[in-house]
Structure formats: structure tokens, C-alpha cells
Amino acid sequence: TPANITDETDTAKFTIVYSNTGSLVNDSISIQVKHYFQSGLLSTSVIRRKYPVSYDTLTVKIPILKNAGQHQMTVDLDYTGLIVESSEADNSSSYFFTVATTDFKVLFPTQNSISSVNQIIFLNPTTAAASSVIAMDIDTLSSYATVQSFSKQMQQFATTFSLPGLKKSKRYYWRVKVVGSAHDWTTGSFFSGDTSASSLGQIDSVAWKQNIFVKTAFSADSGVRIVDTRSVIKALSAGFSDGNNGSITVNGINVITPILGSGHNIVVLDSTSFAVTSQRRFNITADANEADSLIQYLSGVTTGAYVVDVVVDEGANNLSTAARNALKSIGSASIDLVSFRDSWSLIGRKGASPGTVPETYRPQNAGTAQAETTVIRAEKAGTIETPLIGPFTSLSTLKIDQIIPPSAQIKIQLVGLSPAKTLDTLLTVVNQNIISLASINTKVYRNGKLVFNLSVPSAVKSRRSVSSIQSPSLKSWTMSAFPSTELAVSSQTSVINRNQVMEGEQIQFSGTVYNVSNVPAESVLVQLKTNASGIDNVVKQQRFALIPANDSTSFAFSYDTRGRRGNHSFTFEIDPKDSLSEQSKSNNSISIPYIVQADTLRPNLQITFDGTQILNGDYVSQHPEIRIRFTDNNPIGLLASDTSNFRIKLNNLPVHFVTGTAELTSSTTAGRADVRWTPSLVSGENIIQISAKDVSENYSDTILLYVNVASEFMIMDLFNLPNPFNNQTAFTFGLAGPRNPDEIIIKIYTVAGRLIQELSTNGIIGFNKIPWDGRDKDGDQIGNGVYLYKVIVKQADKQIEALSKLVKMR
């Protein structure tokens, strides 16, 4: 698709590449493509393609003309799930893109505003850079011959030009563009009234031209009146030598289809609407019986109906006297002159005397024959329908400037546009100048239109124009209406801190809601939602009691991506329930894509007993302090409340997290947490099983430990290393027992039994290592030779001893 897409383009073209990374399937695949615009589904299409050998491409076109704003395209491969795959996790993808607009949109004054104007506010085009300069011209002439020019730096969302000193009750024309832009001017006009109150209406001819007129017309002098209906009927005949064709038109529209053929082509028109009620062709040259059919056909026409006949190619052979007389019954005076391949046309009426209707005859080679007539009908009723007016937040009074002759009437209807897009009649009055609109529910009907029905007495009969004599006239209407707000969000101020994260990380969203109108916005609901498997989930809603005019407010949310791997998007929306009146909803939402990468690495566990790592079969104390260190590549660590992420079993029974027994503490270090567990072990062998999962549901390996608890103290495997030693050695031994000892004492003797050194330490159940620097109590290095040492383990009033020997050799 093009890098820059604007709503001046009819379509955006996308190429979808999809691949087959498995075996070949002799089948076709269904591909579903959905197009969303401003969170609403615009279209769904399903394409069937041959299953790809390796990869294939698919090109789709999406209509975007005049659809500026946020778009989303989703593609689902094999969306019905008919093809068996090893994984379907990558069968769906979404693409988000923004369509920009090059046009300005006027926010104030609105199209039908008739209030006094001292400023004009434009919604900026989304293609313009923030540093753009905007030029604006204004004039009372549409030719801009006496133009006043302004320029200023483009503002956020909307740009306001001050217009002091405008004349009252005057139509102004404006045009605006970005300086240096290749795009054309955006143009429009407004009426500057004589009141500062918020009012809508139609006063001058420019405003009235927006309406739909049926049997009515507007003039600056007399306003809207019923007008006569003029219908122009033309019948063209061309014989074989003069063109061999023909046509029958009503008000320039050919009403006979298909293209006329040889013979008499006859159309019967309704005498009131001039709509075609019947159509036949009689090729009398090819079939003599067609003359009788023509006679029968004309005899069945209702008296007074218009009957139009044109000859194409040839219409004289086999035209019997009876058939010619039948054509005289609809007013023909020249039918007896028509001979081989002549041109002849007739606009007749059933029951008319010969010679009283339009008729043209041309002999062969004399050219075409065209008959023409204009039928003027004096109408007794007509209507005017305005375009949609609004949006408005409240209505007060409707005032009508009208003139109503005796027995004539103007019926006024206010028609509202419902949320279901139906037009409902909300109010009907007849011949009233001032109409209260206070009962209109503007929360339901924010936009509406006026329909005026003008009529004169049906008893009036005159060949002259009834409308010019009797018609009521409607010169203007004004409506007191409180204007709507205009809210907006921007891609510059609606942001996330990261577009790509690992599953489990937090995404920080912040957005700003702007009120770019001169009207305060009350009770504004704002929401943030994200999508999963095509379903939108609202993650936060917030209601702002008031956003002042020309002001803004902030919105923030921290989003947890646990279990949300894949391509997603946030949609930030103003007024998602459509409860506020605004001129435009196109800038009420914005989408921001983000990717959550899968975390597939397992977490790691490290286990210590009383600060020491152990091996299977080691002895531990009966009440050890077991520390479980959890580490993971995911920077999001576990919280203190995430105890369900751990599974601990002691002797095949689950261990529950209880304060004072098993507690989880989170860490400030990324991807780390600690468990402190103080179990009571039984004497003998104990089986411990420990596993954990991270925030992405990845499980660690299960650690299986077999540890022993002794009911009495035992010293095992007593050695000093190295032995013999030079400068220093360490006393090592295993200690079994129900609890850690109070004290461990090591006494070193000469072989003669003299005590030369005594060491003291705390010691633990399990492996102990106590270093010695080879010096005696005086700090001197002992001499070479053999020495004895005794290890004494004390616990309360109990102690055990073990004896061994060492060798000093330098």
C-alpha cells in the first residue's frame, strides 16, 4: 500500500503473503479478510485459494474514499478450521493504518448557523505537518474580488481565525489551504446574522439552495412558492433513408426502451405524472396482422391519456384504412400522407380531434420528423425539504416568516434522525409562526430536518397559473438551538511506552482528550480497549464530569500483557456509547498496534537449606530454613500474591503458603522472587518436590530432593584437607542431627597430648568446613610432624566427639 494514504484515493491496495511450512495438502484454503473503520466492521470477504506449496500472495483492495481515520484489516487463514495443522497460533494477523484527509472541516459557524460571527474554526487536515502555516481568504463575493486574507500557524487539531467587524445579516465566502500545499482550497460560506444567541436557519438564497424542492421554487423577492409543473415531450422519427431511428423523451429522458425498431413505436403516458404506462411496437411491414393489433391496442387506451407514436425505418406498408382511422382517434391529421419509408411522429391524446395535437410529417429523404409540446400544469401543492440540521444539544423555538392567503396552508414537520438511522416525525403544525421545540428529545434525536408542505384550495379552477395567484410563501425560518461540542484524540498525544514487549511486561498508555469547541463538554465517557481473537475487551473506562471549552484532560493506564502474546492493538475512544452531540465523530478514536512476544524460556530454581546447597541423601536439620530463589528471563517478576505459581510437596503432601511457614517475597531485581520455607521434617528420609511457573505459564524443571533427618547427633566423614598440609588446612565433616548445634569445638594436640590450639564455630547440620591456618595459640606455625585433633559438637547439655590425626609437612 502507498506510504501515505489519503481519503482522496478510491482504494488502498494490500498484498498478503502467506506460507506453508509443513507438508503439502491437496486441498484449497479459505482466507477471510475483514475491514474495520473506526472500530466498526465495514466489510467481510472470503477468498478460496489452492493450498500453497511453499508460499503464495493475495492482493486485496479496500475502499477508503472519504473515509479519513483509523482502519484495521484482519486476515484469517483457514478460519473455519478444516485443515489440520500442528499449530494455528500464526493463522491470524492484523494490520492497522490511518487514512489522512487533505481537507479542512469548518466547526464554526456551521452550515445553517445564522448567529453573528466573530471567528471561524477549522478542523485541521490530518496530512498537514504541525509546523504548517494556514492561509484563509474571506469575501462577501463568491468570486473573491474584494478578498481579505489571513494567515497563521496551524494549531492543535483545530485552528481559529478571529474575524472582528463582520457586517450583520451578510453572506460571507471563505477558502482555506495549507501554505505551499499542492492541494486545492477548501471552500465554503456562512451567514453572519444579527444575534449573538445560538441560532440556525435559512434566510438567503444560498442557504435555500441546499434544499430539495418538489413543485416549489425560491426567489429572493417572494421566498418559496408553489410553481407550475412544466413537462416537455419530444417525439423524433427517422425513416430508413433519414437515419432509421427514433426517440421519445419526457423532460430530456428517453422513456422508451430498448432502442426503437422498425414500424410504429407507441408509448402511452399517464396524463398527470407522464410516466410510461404501456409500450408496444407494431412492425406492420413484416406482418399485415400487426395493423389489426395496433387498432385493438389504441381502442384500449384510456380517454385523455397521452399516446406518442414514432415511425422508424418503415411504417406505411400494410397500414390499413382502419388503422389510419385509429391513429386519427388520438388526433392525427397527417397519417393519410405517410407512405413508404417516410418519417412521422405524433404526440396524441386519446379522444383528441385530428389536427389538435403536435404532429410532424416528412417524406422520404426530407429529414427527420420531430413533434414537441410543453404541458403546463397548475399545481395545488408542493414541498420543501431541508438537509439534516444539527447536531444540537437542545432546542427552544422555531420561527417561520410566511405569508398564507385565505384557505391556503403551510404544514411544518420536524423529522428527527434516530440512533437506528430512521427518520421519525417529531412534530407537525399548520399555519404557525412560532413553534415550541422544548419537547424534542435531543439526546435521542441530535439531527433532524424540516419539511414544509405548501398547498392551495383544491376548489380553485383556472387555466391560469393557480400557484402565482393563490400560493402561500415561505421566506425564512430560524431555530434557537444550543450548539454541540467537538471532542478529539490525537496520535501525537495518545501513546504507549513500548510497541513491542515480552509477554508479562507492562505497557504504559497515556492519552489526552481535547475539547476543540467553544462549548463545554459534560459527562464525557472515555475508554481504552484492546483486541484478542477479533474480540474487543475494554480494559479501562473513565468518565470526566466536565472538559471546559478549548481545554483538555489526561487519561492513563498500565496494561498487563500476561497471556496476550501476538499482534494486538489498543483503541482509545471518546464517547463509545455515542451519547454526546458532535459535528464529527471521525476523530473520536485512535488505534495503536503493539506486539507481545512469546516467552518460551523456563524459569530457574535454586534451593538452599540453612544457606547451603545440598545433594540428594544429605542430612539436614529437622527444622531447616529453606530458601527457593526464582529467576527468569522475563523482566516481570512474580508478586508476593503469586503463590499459586509455586508447587511444593513434602512427602507427597502439598505445602500451602502460610505466614511463618511458607512465604513469597517479590524482588526489586527484574525477573526474580524468593520463597522462605521453614518446614518440620520427620526423622529419616524426606521427599521434597518443588516447581514453579513464570508469568507466561512456562514451568521450571521439577526439583526432587531426598534429604535425611537424624534424631541424634552424628559426626560423619571427618577429614582435614589437605593432609599432609604446608601452611593451612580445613576440617571437613558431615553432621547429622535434629537441629543445628549450639557450638562446634575443634581441639588440636601433639601426639604427647599437649593442647596447642582450640577453634570454635557455630556449624550446621550437613556439610561443615572449618579452616585452620596451621598456627598455635601463640600465633606461631607448628612444626613438622603428626598431630591429633578432636571435633566436639555441643547442643544444650549434650555433646558428641570424633577424633582424627593430621600431618604438618613443609
Side-chain angles (χ1 to χ4, degrees):
T1 186
N4 298 310
I5 315 174
T6 70
D7 62 349
E8 294 178 334
T9 308
D10 287 336
T11 58
K13 185 171 69 173
F14 296 87
T15 300
I16 302 163
V17 181
Y18 55 100
S19 61
N20 172 20
T21 58
S23 60
L24 181 62
V25 177
N26 186 22
D27 200 350
S28 59
I29 182 172
S30 296
I31 305 172
Q32 180 176 259
V33 180
K34 290 185 176 181
H35 176 207
Y36 297 86
F37 174 56
Q38 295 178 356
S39 301
L41 180 63
L42 277 190
S43 65
T44 301
S45 57
V46 176
I47 302 103
R48 297 281 296 178
R49 298 292 288 269
K50 187 71 175 177
Y51 203 85
V53 176
S54 56
Y55 74 92
D56 201 354
T57 59
L58 173 67
T59 300
V60 297
K61 292 183 178 180
I62 292 177
I64 59 172
L65 183 64
K66 300 307 176 186
N67 278 343
Q70 295 290 321
H71 292 251
Q72 175 187 351
M73 185 176 66
T74 64
V75 180
D76 292 297
L77 303 177
D78 187 33
Y79 73 101
T80 56
L82 295 178
I83 297 175
V84 178
E85 300 179 69
S86 58
S87 172
E88 296 183 352
D90 53 0
N91 279 22
S92 179
S93 182
S94 294
Y95 181 74
F96 299 87
F97 62 98
T98 300
V99 176
T101 177
T102 60
D103 291 334
F104 289 84
K105 178 179 176 62
V106 64
L107 297 180
F108 176 83
T110 57
Q111 183 180 37
N112 290 306
S113 172
I114 56 171
S115 305
S116 58
V117 176
N118 56 18
Q119 63 178 1
I120 185 168
I121 306 174
F122 295 106
L123 193 64
N124 301 329
T126 51
T127 54
S131 59
S132 298
V133 175
I134 298 175
M136 196 268 290
D137 291 344
I138 190 168
D139 201 344
T140 56
L141 302 175
S142 58
S143 63
Y144 299 98
T146 59
V147 69
Q148 296 182 65
S149 297
F150 303 83
S151 67
K152 69 182 307 180
Q153 184 86 23
M154 189 175 73
Q155 299 165 322
Q156 179 82 15
F157 288 116
T159 302
T160 301
F161 287 90
S162 296
L163 301 173
L166 294 186
K167 296 178 181 179
K168 306 296 184 184
S169 301
K170 193 73 175 176
R171 170 71 56 176
Y172 283 87
Y173 298 87
W174 56 262
R175 61 186 182 186
V176 63
K177 70 179 300 185
V178 175
V179 174
S181 170
H183 297 292
D184 291 336
W185 294 88
T186 303
T187 62
S189 71
F190 62 85
F191 187 86
S192 182
D194 57 4
T195 176
S196 59
S198 178
S199 300
L200 303 174
Q202 291 180 330
I203 293 177
D204 64 346
S205 59
V206 175
W208 278 103
K209 285 179 181 178
Q210 306 169 32
N211 300 333
I212 298 173
F213 295 88
V214 178
K215 301 175 185 178
T216 55
F218 176 85
S219 69
D221 295 333
S222 58
V224 179
R225 298 172 65 88
I226 301 171
V227 295
D228 300 334
T229 300
R230 293 175 174 264
S231 299
V232 179
I233 305 172
K234 294 182 181 180
L236 176 68
S237 167
F240 178 82
S241 302
D242 295 287
N244 194 23
N245 58 31
S247 65
I248 299 173
T249 63
V250 177
N251 294 326
I253 300 173
N254 191 359
V255 299
I256 186 166
T257 55
I259 297 174
L260 292 77
S262 179
H264 287 258
N265 297 268
I266 299 178
V267 166
V268 178
L269 303 175
D270 181 82
S271 59
T272 302
S273 65
F274 300 101
V276 176
T277 61
S278 178
Q279 173 184 329
R280 283 286 300 273
R281 179 169 71 93
F282 302 95
N283 188 358
I284 59 176
T285 302
D287 184 357
N289 293 326
E290 285 288 275
D292 294 334
S293 299
L294 185 151
I295 296 169
Q296 264 190 334
Y297 180 73
L298 292 180
S299 67
V301 175
T302 304
T303 300
Y306 286 86
V307 184
V308 186
D309 187 0
V310 294
V311 168
V312 175
D313 185 3
E314 209 295 302
N317 281 352
N318 298 321
L319 187 63
S320 64
T321 300
R324 293 176 189 267
N325 289 336
L327 292 171
K328 292 176 184 178
S329 72
I330 59 174
S332 173
S334 304
I335 189 61
D336 290 337
L337 302 176
V338 177
S339 60
F340 183 68
R341 287 184 170 172
D342 290 345
S343 300
W344 173 80
S345 62
L346 170 74
I347 302 175
R349 293 195 74 175
K350 182 64 179 292
S353 301
T356 61
V357 297
E359 181 181 18
T360 304
Y361 162 72
R362 293 284 186 274
Q364 186 178 180
N365 296 317
T368 61
Q370 178 171 293
E372 179 178 347
T373 187
T374 300
V375 182
I376 300 175
R377 183 171 60 244
E379 302 292 350
K380 295 181 176 61
T383 63
I384 311 99
E385 182 179 315
T386 70
L388 277 177
I389 308 162
F392 27 69
T393 54
S394 67
L395 294 172
S396 176
T397 304
L398 174 64
K399 295 182 180 180
I400 310 295
D401 183 4
Q402 58 191 2
I403 299 174
I404 305 175
S407 301
Q409 73 171 27
I410 298 180
K411 182 170 72 173
I412 304 156
Q413 292 179 306
L414 176 60
V415 179
L417 181 65
S418 73
K421 306 304 179 185
T422 60
L423 290 172
D424 302 333
T425 301
L426 308 180
L427 177 146
T428 301
V429 297
V430 177
N431 292 357
Q432 291 189 26
N433 296 359
I434 301 176
I435 304 154
S436 173
L437 303 178
S439 63
I440 305 301
N441 186 349
T442 54
K443 290 186 177 180
V444 176
Y445 299 98
R446 301 175 202 156
N447 297 274
K449 60 175 62 179
L450 291 170
V451 179
F452 301 95
N453 295 276
L454 284 61
S455 62
V456 296
S458 59
V460 174
K461 294 183 179 180
S462 172
R463 294 186 63 85
R464 293 190 301 161
S465 170
V466 174
S467 60
S468 64
I469 301 173
Q470 301 290 334
S471 174
S473 65
L474 176 62
K475 291 192 173 182
S476 66
W477 62 266
T478 60
M479 180 185 293
S480 300
F482 196 73
S484 64
T485 58
E486 184 65 25
L487 302 171
V489 292
S490 166
S491 59
Q492 283 75 38
T493 56
S494 300
V495 296
I496 56 178
N497 61 329
R498 295 173 65 188
N499 292 91
Q500 187 166 310
V501 297
M502 182 175 290
E503 182 181 3
E505 287 189 90
Q506 301 281 321
I507 297 178
Q508 306 300 326
F509 175 89
S510 62
T512 305
V513 181
Y514 294 87
N515 180 3
V516 296
S517 67
N518 293 326
V519 181
E522 297 179 352
S523 189
V524 179
L525 181 65
V526 178
Q527 75 177 18
L528 181 69
K529 63 184 181 183
T530 187
N531 66 326
S533 301
I535 301 173
D536 287 330
N537 299 310
V538 176
V539 295
K540 182 180 180 180
Q541 282 189 339
Q542 186 171 351
R543 188 175 294 277
F544 297 96
L546 178 70
I547 304 178
N550 300 303
D551 204 347
S552 63
T553 190
S554 298
F555 177 98
F557 183 69
S558 181
Y559 181 65
D560 188 347
T561 62
R562 299 185 194 194
R564 297 302 304 273
R565 66 184 65 174
N567 295 339
H568 305 282
S569 72
F570 289 114
T571 299
F572 186 38
E573 291 181 304
I574 304 172
D575 190 30
K577 297 183 179 179
D578 194 25
S579 59
L580 299 176
S581 292
E582 295 183 79
Q583 290 190 54
S584 173
K585 296 286 187 179
S586 63
N587 48 5
N588 276 26
S589 68
I590 189 168
S591 295
I592 305 174
Y594 65 94
I595 299 173
V596 179
Q597 293 179 320
D599 174 13
T600 58
L601 297 181
R602 296 184 176 192
N604 184 54
L605 298 178
Q606 290 182 320
I607 315 296
T608 61
F609 284 67
D610 295 323
T612 302
Q613 290 185 337
I614 65 168
L615 300 175
N616 276 326
D618 282 355
Y619 279 88
V620 298
S621 67
Q622 191 171 21
H623 302 285
E625 181 186 67
I626 301 175
R627 293 278 184 173
I628 305 170
R629 169 64 54 83
F630 171 95
T631 55
D632 190 39
N633 67 305
N634 196 309
I636 300 300
L638 299 179
L639 304 176
S641 58
D642 292 332
T643 56
S644 62
N645 284 49
F646 288 84
R647 293 181 181 177
I648 304 175
K649 284 186 176 183
L650 174 59
N651 297 322
N652 294 319
L653 295 176
V655 174
H656 302 290
F657 280 76
V658 179
T659 302
T661 300
E663 301 174 49
L664 171 62
T665 58
S666 57
S667 172
T668 56
T669 303
R672 197 174 103 177
D674 291 285
V675 174
R676 180 180 180 271
W677 177 30
T678 55
S680 294
L681 305 181
V682 299
S683 296
E685 187 179 65
N686 291 263
I687 303 173
I688 296 174
Q689 297 168 275
I690 302 174
S691 65
K693 65 179 180 179
D694 62 17
V695 296
S696 300
E697 302 287 327
N698 297 311
Y699 282 87
S700 70
D701 292 330
T702 298
I703 295 177
L704 182 63
L705 292 174
Y706 297 89
V707 297
N708 294 303
V709 173
S711 58
E712 299 293 337
F713 283 104
M714 295 185 296
I715 299 173
M716 301 167 292
D717 302 323
L718 176 61
F719 302 99
N720 71 291
L721 298 172
N723 190 22
F725 73 96
N726 184 357
N727 293 322
Q728 58 186 9
T729 188
F731 302 100
T732 65
F733 56 92
L735 180 62
R739 64 189 63 83
N740 288 331
D742 292 338
E743 184 182 19
I744 294 178
I745 300 172
I746 300 176
K747 293 182 178 182
I748 304 163
Y749 302 89
T750 65
V751 291
R754 182 171 62 89
L755 179 66
I756 62 172
Q757 183 60 284
E758 183 175 320
L759 307 175
S760 177
T761 186
N762 290 328
I764 59 171
I765 299 299
F767 179 76
N768 290 264
K769 182 178 181 180
I770 302 169
W772 178 47
D773 60 5
R775 297 179 184 273
D776 59 18
K777 291 183 178 180
D778 297 326
D780 297 327
Q781 284 282 347
I782 63 173
N784 290 344
V786 178
Y787 296 83
L788 303 177
Y789 64 91
K790 182 191 296 183
V791 175
I792 305 169
V793 177
K794 292 184 175 183
Q795 176 63 51
D797 57 348
K798 297 180 180 181
Q799 74 175 41
I800 59 171
E801 300 177 355
L803 185 66
S804 189
K805 65 181 179 180
L806 58 84
V807 176
K808 170 68 182 291
M809 183 181 294
R810 303 185 67 176

